[in-house]
Amino acid sequence: MTASFAPSTTGFTFEHITIIGNAQGDVTPAAQGYTITFNGTYIDHPKVINICNGPYAKSDKSFVVTNSPDNTWFENQLEEVAKQIEPQIGCWPSTGLVTVILMSLLSKHVDVQCMALLPSLTRQTDMQPSQHLLCVVHNWLGERRIALGLALTQDNIHWPELYLSPHMIAEDEQRTQAMADANMEIADPFELLHKITRKSEAPAAMMYTFQTSIFKQLANLSSHIWLTAASTKSIKQVETMFAHPQAETQASPWYLTDPRINSCLDPIRHHLAYCQQLIAIASAQTNSQSHSRPHTNKPE
């Protein structure tokens, strides 16, 4: 993923870095090492580095760094990491992910807080259909795919908020049993997702009703059903459904702005993220066991 990236040397490394994202939580500078904040979360402190994305800082640069040991160098390194990540997720990555990747290479200990890489897709009731959520410009499921691969293989990263807990397991079990009792046929959720188009305009009346029913069905499926159908390939194929990198200049896909669909989006994406996480953990465990096996010339 990032193994080929090596930051140019400047003569400094970090013993400890605390990265505080933009989610709700404590933004007090860490007691040891440097603390990194983003965009408007600026703290006047000698050990706090602030990193802004270029548009937020109204700059032509991709990133604007202040109060670091070498601002220009940091900005250049962040841009190089972002360029490597971009083709892996199909759009420009978030500043948070780029910063974590770079710091994982520069610091012995990286503590990530207030950052789950899964911001809510819930729209405020007063938003106009033409307005887009700021978060949709990033492919968050794609970013989580990369972040999980990093966090599960790098011992220097402490990132508890990246990991999701089982989503309403008790309710899921009840829902699955209810479906079984009713003899309901449960379709592959990934096949259903593929039936939803990415056109900006809402579909014609009959197709709109059909696709709306699909969203509602998917939002109410059990985690067990999602897990049974999930694979790395199937999740990757649908992860960009919840992203719209051109949102500033183009109309968003209709389901990202439709009030009837809005309440379905986060539950569906949560299931995808949870499946993604369990697959990543299983893969990391398999690789760890494989590497720990003694070498032998005998076939297994």
XYZ file of all heavy atoms in Angstrom, residues 4 9 32 38 40 47 57 68 73 79 96 98 141 146 173 185 192 197 208 245 258 271 277 288 292:
198
model
N 6.237 1.553 -0.785
C 7.158 2.154 -1.736
C 7.434 3.621 -1.434
O 8.346 4.204 -1.997
C 6.600 2.027 -3.153
O 5.376 2.734 -3.267
N 14.708 12.734 3.772
C 15.231 12.993 5.112
C 15.430 14.481 5.355
O 15.814 15.228 4.479
C 16.567 12.266 5.304
O 17.484 12.728 4.307
C 16.391 10.768 5.175
N 2.817 14.537 25.754
C 4.144 14.243 25.203
C 4.123 14.333 23.681
O 3.116 14.067 23.037
C 4.595 12.837 25.637
C 3.650 11.725 25.226
C 4.175 10.356 25.619
O 5.382 10.112 25.574
N 3.279 9.456 25.994
N -6.492 19.703 12.489
C -6.809 19.951 11.090
C -7.716 21.152 10.902
O -8.591 21.449 11.730
C -7.478 18.711 10.481
C -6.619 17.484 10.520
C -6.837 16.502 11.478
C -5.582 17.315 9.616
C -6.044 15.377 11.526
C -4.772 16.186 9.657
C -5.007 15.213 10.614
N -9.900 24.134 10.797
C -10.247 25.184 11.749
C -9.937 24.873 13.193
O -10.059 25.750 14.057
N 3.713 22.938 20.585
C 3.822 21.549 20.153
C 2.600 21.086 19.367
O 2.353 19.896 19.253
C 4.012 20.643 21.378
C 5.356 20.783 22.063
C 6.491 20.168 21.224
C 7.797 20.165 21.986
N 8.877 19.485 21.210
N -7.798 26.429 3.234
C -6.866 27.525 3.517
C -6.850 28.563 2.399
O -6.075 29.527 2.473
C -5.463 26.958 3.728
N 5.138 23.400 12.239
C 5.904 22.153 12.258
C 7.395 22.481 12.200
O 7.778 23.623 11.926
C 5.529 21.285 11.066
O 6.157 21.752 9.882
N 8.569 21.228 3.823
C 8.872 19.803 3.656
C 7.631 18.954 3.948
O 7.298 18.038 3.192
C 10.006 19.397 4.590
C 10.370 17.944 4.480
C 11.219 17.373 3.583
C 9.865 16.873 5.284
N 11.289 16.009 3.783
C 10.466 15.681 4.826
C 8.976 16.808 6.350
C 10.203 14.438 5.392
C 8.718 15.572 6.919
C 9.320 14.401 6.445
N 1.662 15.810 0.046
C 1.192 15.758 -1.331
C 1.656 14.485 -2.026
O 0.897 13.873 -2.793
C 1.663 16.982 -2.108
C 1.135 17.023 -3.533
C 1.399 18.353 -4.216
O 2.147 19.177 -3.661
O 0.835 18.555 -5.302
N -6.829 13.713 6.798
C -6.594 12.864 7.962
C -5.880 11.586 7.609
O -4.879 11.216 8.250
N -4.105 10.883 4.910
C -2.764 11.186 4.397
C -1.804 11.466 5.551
O -0.659 10.990 5.561
C -2.821 12.394 3.434
C -1.417 12.811 3.011
C -3.657 12.061 2.215
N -15.148 4.534 2.454
C -14.938 3.091 2.531
C -13.589 2.707 1.933
O -12.898 1.819 2.437
C -16.074 2.351 1.821
C -17.412 2.305 2.571
C -18.480 1.673 1.690
C -17.285 1.549 3.881
N -7.756 1.163 3.187
C -6.327 1.440 3.303
C -5.914 1.587 4.758
O -4.877 1.070 5.196
C -5.976 2.703 2.505
C -6.129 2.423 1.013
C -4.568 3.185 2.823
C -5.892 3.608 0.130
N -30.317 -10.441 15.014
C -30.708 -11.831 15.193
C -32.227 -11.966 15.177
O -32.780 -12.902 14.590
C -30.122 -12.365 16.499
C -28.599 -12.499 16.456
C -28.026 -12.922 17.796
O -28.785 -12.904 18.781
O -26.839 -13.273 17.846
N -37.502 -14.671 1.112
C -36.318 -14.933 0.307
C -35.356 -13.764 0.441
O -35.709 -12.626 0.163
C -36.700 -15.117 -1.160
C -35.498 -15.427 -2.049
C -35.894 -15.647 -3.493
O -37.104 -15.700 -3.768
O -34.987 -15.752 -4.334
N -28.097 -6.520 -5.123
C -29.100 -5.456 -5.058
C -28.453 -4.085 -5.236
O -28.990 -3.224 -5.935
C -29.848 -5.520 -3.728
C -30.768 -6.724 -3.528
C -31.385 -6.696 -2.137
C -31.857 -6.743 -4.589
N -28.495 2.642 -10.026
C -27.664 3.412 -10.945
C -27.013 4.585 -10.224
O -27.402 4.979 -9.135
C -28.498 3.967 -12.110
O -29.380 4.972 -11.598
C -29.311 2.868 -12.770
N -37.994 4.437 -9.675
C -37.760 5.123 -8.401
C -38.361 4.316 -7.251
O -37.722 4.112 -6.213
C -38.371 6.516 -8.441
C -38.289 7.263 -7.122
C -37.127 7.918 -6.740
C -39.385 7.292 -6.261
C -37.043 8.590 -5.535
C -39.319 7.966 -5.056
C -38.148 8.612 -4.693
O -38.079 9.272 -3.483
N -16.779 12.730 -5.792
C -15.657 13.679 -5.806
C -15.939 14.974 -6.564
O -15.345 16.009 -6.264
C -14.536 12.877 -6.483
C -14.898 11.449 -6.272
C -16.392 11.404 -6.301
N -31.834 12.473 -1.748
C -33.258 12.174 -1.627
C -33.655 11.956 -0.166
O -33.090 11.092 0.511
C -33.585 10.912 -2.432
C -35.081 10.694 -2.581
O -35.734 10.388 -1.566
O -35.593 10.837 -3.708
N -22.847 -1.476 7.572
C -22.721 -2.911 7.327
C -21.530 -3.205 6.415
O -20.763 -4.149 6.651
C -24.004 -3.447 6.692
C -25.121 -3.644 7.659
N -25.018 -4.441 8.783
C -26.386 -3.144 7.693
C -26.153 -4.437 9.453
N -26.998 -3.646 8.810
N -14.088 -4.621 7.681
C -13.211 -4.731 8.844
C -12.928 -6.196 9.199
O -11.776 -6.576 9.440
C -13.868 -4.029 10.025
C -13.147 -4.198 11.354
C -13.855 -3.429 12.456
O -14.091 -2.230 12.330
N -14.223 -4.106 13.528
N -0.183 -13.131 9.371
C 0.682 -13.205 10.549
C 1.039 -14.647 10.860
O 2.190 -14.969 11.168
C -0.018 -12.561 11.746
O 0.763 -12.688 12.915
N 4.778 -16.544 10.630
C 5.349 -17.083 11.863
C 5.671 -18.573 11.764
O 6.303 -19.144 12.634
C 4.386 -16.861 13.035
O 3.167 -17.581 12.843
